[in-house]
Amino acid sequence: MKLIFLGAPGAGKGTQAEAVCAHLNIPAISTGNMIREALKSGTEMGLKAKSYMDSGALVPDEVVIGIVKDRIAQPDCANGFVLDGFPRTIPQAEALDNMGVKIDRVIALEVSDDKIVKRMSGRRVCESCGASYHLLYNPPKVEEKCDKCGGTLVQRKDDLPETVKARLKVYHEQTEPLKGYYKRQGKLYTVDGQEDVADTTKLTLQAIEA
Ligand code: AP5
């Protein structure tokens, strides 16, 4: 199954992608995580992307389109994948269509802006594997340590309240129009992402299996 998870920053795309990928045994492809990895490794692309990410802006389309094209050509994507955070603009969605990729469903996670700002302050991510936690809603078993790899949990620079507001603005202007794009293709499934993680996962799985 080939799925896209759409939603505002902090709507729970990464959290839901992880649950669905474990359920379907397919890889999650997070462009945000891939760009952060490139930055950590000091590649030219990563360094170029830094200023965009830190300010809450989108990285240029041609950069992300290239990354995704290479990634989905890998053998582990043959039976499907979840795209988490891509596409984020109409040109990115058109590029995906032009690659001949047949997306089965697009899951749009709906969470209010107020709730997003509150959620982001409690998010912590593993600096080694990128897994995402929340101090209140999804805490790690051991404080400040990743359950999966034992890595250290840190706060993302772009989770500061002012940057989150900038990211929300970008989302409403550039990414939200994708809902109409995929609705016209008959692929859009809306999921209420305001419930707790377990309930949201139930709703997400229902949307995939309906
Ligand atoms: P990216 O890393 O993709 O960030 P994002 O879309 O802004 O999304 P997040 O990772 O912040 O949130 P999420 O929806 O995955 O939520 P999560 O599950 O972690 O992108 C970062 C940057 O990279 C962009 O700003 C841009 O610069 C660049 N970029 C990436 N892709 C790009 C593209 N295609 N084009 C151009 N630029 C691109 O959950 C959030 C928190 O809430 C966590 O703490 C979690 O534990 C908690 N939580 C989750 N679900 C629930 C729930 N149901 N109840 C309570 N808490 C919950």
Side-chain angles (χ1 to χ4, degrees), residues 91-165:
Q92 290 180 19
E94 288 170 347
L96 193 61
D97 286 342
N98 292 337
M99 285 175 214
V101 177
K102 296 239 174 310
I103 296 297
D104 297 293
R105 291 184 187 197
V106 176
I107 309 298
L109 287 161
E110 301 289 353
V111 180
S112 70
D113 285 9
D114 284 355
K115 205 156 195 166
I116 295 276
V117 175
K118 283 183 199 140
R119 266 191 200 174
M120 298 307 245
S121 61
R123 173 162 59 182
R124 296 294 180 272
V125 292
C126 174
E127 64 178 359
S128 303
C129 75
S132 176
Y133 298 86
H134 194 283
L135 295 179
L136 291 178
Y137 309 129
N138 183 23
K141 292 192 182 95
V142 178
E143 216 175 300
E144 292 175 20
K145 291 280 167 216
C146 178
D147 292 352
K148 296 181 186 76
C149 74
T152 304
L153 302 186
V154 295
Q155 184 165 31
R156 268 168 53 176
K157 271 192 193 152
D158 60 350
D159 278 352
L160 297 173
E162 283 316 304
T163 316
V164 170
K165 283 183 196 149

Side-chain angles (χ1 to χ4, degrees), residues 15 18 37 44 47 49 58 64-65 73 75 98 129 152 155-156 159 180 190 192 194 202-203:
T15 305
E18 198 183 316
E37 277 301 313
E44 198 189 329
L47 296 173
L58 295 182
V64 247
I65 290 167
N98 292 337
C129 75
T152 304
Q155 184 165 31
R156 268 168 53 176
D159 278 352
T190 301
D192 178 358
Q194 309 246 109
K202 270 186 211 149
L203 295 173

Side-chain angles (χ1 to χ4, degrees), residues 1-5 20 24 26 77-83 87 96-97 100-108 182-189 207-210:
M1 205 168 201
K2 293 178 179 149
L3 301 165
I4 289 172
F5 280 23
V20 166
L24 297 176
I26 52 176
C77 292
N79 293 325
F81 47 78
V82 171
L83 288 173
L96 193 61
D97 286 342
V101 177
K102 296 239 174 310
I103 296 297
D104 297 293
R105 291 184 187 197
V106 176
I107 309 298
Y182 286 115
K183 194 171 182 187
R184 285 189 287 281
Q185 293 190 2
K187 292 177 180 170
L188 188 75
Y189 291 75
I208 286 164
E209 286 160 1

Side-chain angles (χ1 to χ4, degrees), residues 9-10 13-15 31 36 57 59 85 88 92 123 133 167 195:
K13 300 181 297 295
T15 305
T31 40
R36 280 185 288 277
V59 173
R88 251 181 164 96
Q92 290 180 19
R123 173 162 59 182
Y133 298 86
R167 287 162 66 196
E195 303 303 322

Side-chain angles (χ1 to χ4, degrees), residues 66-81:
I67 298 178
V68 170
K69 197 173 181 181
D70 290 347
R71 180 63 187 90
I72 60 182
Q74 301 295 313
D76 64 328
C77 292
N79 293 325
F81 47 78

